Amino acid sequence: MCIRDSLYTYPDAVDKAVISGTGWEDPTKVRLGKLICRLEQARVGETSTSKLVTKLMFGSYNKPFGAVTSPNAWICSDEAVVAAYDADPLCGFDATVGLARDLLTGVEMNEQPENLDKMNKQLPLLFVSCYLYGLRPLLLCGFALLMGNLCDRLISLLRRRVYQAGDYSNESFALVITLLMPATVDWYVLAAAIVAGVLIGKEVFGGYGSYPFNPAAVGYAVAAVSWPEQVFRYPTPYTSIPLWDASGVVTASTISDTLRSGGLINLSGLSLALGEYAAPMGAGSALVLAACGLFLWVQKDIKLSAALSFLVTAGVIVFLFPRQLGLTEDASFAVSAMFRLRCVRDELLTGAMIFSAVFLLNEPYTCAHHRLGRILYGVMVGAFTMGFRYFGVYETGVCFAILAVNSISGWLDRTEVHLYELLHSSWKKQTGKGDAV
């Protein structure tokens, strides 16, 4: 809470921020809690404790754990740690009414839209959930931010230009590359992918805003071609992964291998949506990714035309030409349609499709800039992606599809402009003729 307060109070004082365990409370509940604190403050005083306030703030924390022997059992699953906490005279005391009131005031301030708008929009925030793979993804993302920043400083030194402290594009590309990797990726592979993305994908063409290919897709493609055994082998969720050396962790083939062989995915739709399968560490949970996309769209940081046309095109191709078509040759139309829709679900929720729709397709300098061009761009990426997935060897064919279509995204814009000028000129001539008559 204090970090989020500092981010909107001093938006230009922080270069990067990693925030874990953030929450969002119902504003009505927060206001009601403050009212109760004020009433209790009038009754017992600001520096006194209140059993009512303590129960309302912490009383429900133990409910998910059933019968427990300590009121503080929720702090840790290890009973020895809980016992040590209970025995420590500096722990376990009730917060004063004034402290509870101030905490709720802080929560209320953090959730006010005007304060959120004060944050630096270019600050790369990483709200990390380590629920599936432990703390190693957090460490990898921190390493990626450092590598991206070091690359930026090195390029500035080699080109003898002033380092632009407000340009976080390298760090952003590095994070995208990292989230497309498995949680067991070796450090040198991640470092090489980031360097390739920054140097080959971005700086070779003149730096930010001058590159024709998505730098994150370039870095990922280099790593995928060079170290496929590192990039396309994933640990199963909830596996214990060492922070430094993950070479001993058992990895599994991907869901795409099952789809490619004509098999069916034996997972529920909820498990697929939550990312509870072997996948890139940041590209599995479709629900989280959809929420991120909705937030970016509301903030007007992305446009939906390219992303939606990409997903719709891919979905139509899968519906018409599922890889498991032979399993429904003798089925009725209704059964066949339901089966095809299931295939669409399986294809769109795997292979980093949602992640790419949100974070890769909308890169501002490689996507087409006009609306019709963006739609055509998304359609072409969707078609190319399914071609790579059906006939290629890489699971995340979407990255290669994006690079292929990046080569003509400028042409799409120019063609749309010429078409608009031609139609506008024709309309003016027709209007002029009508006026003359």
Side-chain angles (χ1 to χ4, degrees):
M1 182 175 69
C2 293
I3 293 176
R4 293 163 69 184
D5 178 272
S6 65
L7 290 179
Y8 64 74
T9 304
Y10 309 103
D12 299 321
V14 181
D15 293 330
K16 307 171 192 67
V18 178
I19 307 176
S20 178
T22 58
W24 188 273
E25 298 293 337
D26 186 344
T28 302
K29 292 183 179 179
V30 175
R31 289 193 293 268
L32 180 59
K34 289 181 63 179
L35 175 60
I36 293 174
C37 286
R38 285 196 293 268
L39 293 175
E40 287 295 280
Q41 178 180 333
R43 186 178 69 87
V44 300
E46 183 181 36
T47 58
S48 300
T49 61
S50 165
K51 294 296 183 183
L52 174 62
V53 171
T54 300
K55 182 178 180 180
L56 291 176
M57 292 188 68
F58 304 106
S60 62
Y61 284 15
N62 272 346
K63 287 184 179 180
F65 308 110
V68 292
T69 58
S70 169
N72 302 310
W74 57 272
I75 68 169
C76 185
S77 60
D78 190 332
E79 293 183 359
V81 174
V82 176
Y85 181 89
D86 289 338
D88 192 332
L90 298 179
C91 299
F93 54 84
D94 292 344
T96 64
V97 174
L99 176 58
R101 178 205 61 209
D102 292 342
L103 285 173
L104 291 173
T105 301
V107 171
E108 187 178 45
M109 292 177 63
N110 280 341
E111 296 180 355
Q112 291 177 356
E114 56 268 27
N115 287 333
L116 294 175
D117 290 338
K118 294 177 184 177
M119 289 186 180
N120 185 352
K121 296 299 188 298
Q122 294 182 330
L123 183 66
L125 297 179
L126 179 63
F127 293 82
V128 180
S129 171
C130 299
Y131 181 66
L132 295 177
Y133 301 108
L135 291 177
R136 194 166 197 265
L138 181 61
L139 198 61
L140 289 170
C141 289
F143 173 75
L145 290 172
L146 178 62
M147 282 294 302
N149 186 262
L150 289 177
C151 287
D152 204 0
R153 293 177 183 273
L154 177 61
I155 293 299
S156 297
L157 180 63
L158 294 177
R159 290 190 169 182
R160 298 181 180 179
R161 70 186 185 194
V162 178
Y163 167 68
Q164 300 293 328
D167 178 10
Y168 302 112
S169 58
N170 283 353
E171 290 88 343
S172 300
F173 295 140
L175 273 180
V176 172
I177 292 172
T178 304
L179 295 176
L180 282 169
M181 295 289 178
T184 52
V185 66
D186 278 339
W187 300 96
Y188 72 90
V189 175
L190 180 57
I194 294 171
V195 171
V198 171
L199 297 184
I200 300 176
K202 175 186 172 185
E203 297 299 340
V204 164
F205 298 98
Y208 188 65
S210 303
Y211 42 83
F213 302 100
N214 189 307
V218 170
Y220 179 83
V222 168
V225 173
S226 303
W227 299 281
E229 72 285 352
Q230 287 272 344
V231 177
F232 298 114
R233 301 286 295 182
Y234 304 102
T236 56
Y238 311 112
T239 299
S240 178
I241 304 176
L243 292 180
W244 302 108
D245 183 9
S247 58
V249 177
V250 176
T251 56
S253 59
T254 65
I255 283 179
S256 290
D257 291 341
T258 302
L259 296 174
R260 189 179 296 113
S261 63
L264 293 173
I265 298 177
N266 190 24
L267 286 174
S268 67
L270 181 60
S271 294
L272 284 174
L274 294 177
E276 294 180 329
Y277 60 94
M281 56 183 164
S285 179
L287 290 178
V288 173
L289 294 171
C292 291
L294 180 61
F295 173 78
L296 293 174
W297 176 67
V298 170
Q299 294 293 315
K300 302 186 184 301
D301 290 325
I302 66 171
K303 298 183 182 298
L304 294 181
S305 49
L308 291 180
S309 59
F310 160 70
L311 293 174
V312 169
T313 300
V316 169
I317 292 174
V318 175
F319 185 84
L320 297 177
F321 309 103
R323 289 191 259 191
Q324 298 79 12
L325 184 59
L327 299 177
T328 59
E329 289 180 349
D330 299 326
S332 64
F333 174 79
V335 173
S336 176
M338 292 302 296
F339 174 82
R340 290 169 185 266
L341 289 175
R342 178 181 174 182
C343 292
V344 172
R345 179 204 70 178
D346 294 346
E347 294 280 3
L348 294 187
L349 294 184
T350 60
M353 296 287 283
I354 306 297
F355 181 92
S356 301
V358 174
F359 295 110
L360 288 176
L361 261 75
N362 286 284
E363 203 286 322
Y365 292 102
T366 55
C367 181
H369 295 91
H370 302 291
R371 184 176 183 180
L372 179 59
R374 287 195 300 269
I375 294 175
L376 293 175
Y377 178 84
V379 169
M380 295 183 68
V381 173
F384 276 57
T385 296
M386 298 318 299
F388 279 115
R389 294 192 70 172
Y390 276 30
F391 306 108
V393 295
Y394 299 128
E395 174 194 3
T396 45
V398 60
C399 290
F400 297 90
I402 287 174
L403 293 176
V405 182
N406 280 164
S407 61
I408 62 170
S409 59
W411 176 82
L412 292 175
D413 274 331
R414 292 192 296 273
T415 301
E416 181 178 355
V417 171
H418 293 329
L419 181 61
Y420 172 79
E421 292 176 347
L422 180 62
L423 293 176
H424 188 64
S425 175
S426 175
W427 177 79
K428 287 178 64 177
K429 289 181 180 179
Q430 293 178 2
T431 303
K433 290 180 180 178
D435 292 339
V437 175

